[in-house]
Amino acid sequence: MIKGHEGGLLAGLDDIDWAKLHHAYGSAHDFPGQLRLVCCDDEDLRKSAWLHLFNTIFHQGSRYTSSAAAVPFFARIARSGPEHARPTALHMLTRLAVDWHDAYTLPAGIDTATWRALAAESTPERMAAWYEGRLAAENDPERRSILKEARDFCPTRARCLPMTPSALNCATCTR
C-alpha cells in the first residue's frame, strides 16, 4: 500500500473498471494492485511490479486499452511520486509514447532512425559552433543571454570527461 499517496497520486485509480480494459494477457483487473506496488518501500516488490507492467500494458511495443488509461497515473508518479518510482514512470511514459523500435511509429509518424542519426551528428563541437553562430547574429540582449546559457551546456573539448574516447584524444583537455 502507498502511504500518503492515495488521495492525489492515485486519485481515480479505483474509479476505472480495469477488468473491462485489456492488456497483453487479457483483463487488466490486476493493474491497480501492480501500480500500487511500484510506489511501495519494498525494492523486490517494486521491481516485480514494474516488470509486470512493462510486460502487460507495453508487451513488445504493443499498447492496449489499459495502456491509455494508465498514462495519467504514470505521469503523476513521474512528477510527484516517490523518488525511487519517478525515473521508471517516466521511462514507461516514454515507451508508451514513442517505443523503442523503428518499425513502430505514432499515428502522425516519428522517424526515430533519422532522429538518432541527427543526434549522432550533433557533436558538442558542432553544437557549440551553432550557438556561436546564433550569438554572432543576435542583437537582443535577452536572447543573447539565453543563447549563452544554452551554449555553456555544450561540453567543449576543453571540458572533456576523463577516460572517454574524446578525452583521450583531446589536445586541449585539462584533465
Side-chain angles (χ1 to χ4, degrees):
M1 186 61 105
I2 305 168
K3 298 174 188 157
H5 294 292
E6 285 296 323
L9 193 62
L10 300 181
L13 182 66
D14 294 323
D15 297 337
I16 297 170
D17 188 353
W18 294 97
K20 287 188 178 179
L21 301 179
H22 295 89
H23 58 47
Y25 301 102
S27 168
H29 69 280
D30 55 346
F31 179 84
Q34 295 297 317
L35 188 66
R36 286 184 174 94
L37 288 175
V38 303
C39 294
C40 78
D41 294 329
D42 186 306
E43 185 177 357
D44 290 335
L45 287 175
R46 284 195 316 262
K47 286 181 180 179
S48 177
W50 279 120
L51 182 63
H52 179 83
L53 291 172
F54 271 98
N55 286 325
T56 56
I57 69 166
F58 183 68
H59 184 67
Q60 297 179 351
S62 296
R63 284 100 171 154
Y64 305 87
T65 55
S66 61
S67 305
V71 167
F73 302 104
F74 290 131
R76 286 188 212 148
I77 292 170
R79 182 171 185 249
S80 306
E83 289 288 327
H84 59 73
R86 291 178 186 179
T88 311
L90 184 59
H91 181 73
M92 176 67 88
L93 287 168
T94 303
R95 292 297 169 233
L96 287 170
V98 180
D99 198 1
W100 71 80
H101 299 291
D102 291 335
Y104 300 114
T105 59
L106 295 177
I110 288 182
D111 184 356
T112 56
T114 300
W115 283 8
R116 288 182 185 133
L118 289 171
E121 293 174 7
S122 298
T123 65
E125 293 83 8
R126 283 187 179 180
M127 292 305 300
W130 183 88
Y131 280 112
E132 289 296 337
R134 295 290 184 259
L135 275 166
E138 185 58 61
N139 293 323
D140 182 293
E142 186 176 340
R143 287 187 181 193
R144 285 186 56 79
S145 175
I146 293 168
L147 285 167
K148 284 179 183 178
E149 186 176 338
R151 179 208 51 206
D152 291 343
F153 278 104
C154 295
T156 62
R157 291 178 65 86
R159 291 185 278 152
C160 299
L161 296 175
M163 301 310 294
T164 63
S166 60
L168 296 175
N169 297 320
C170 183
T172 61
C173 192
T174 59
R175 296 185 183 204

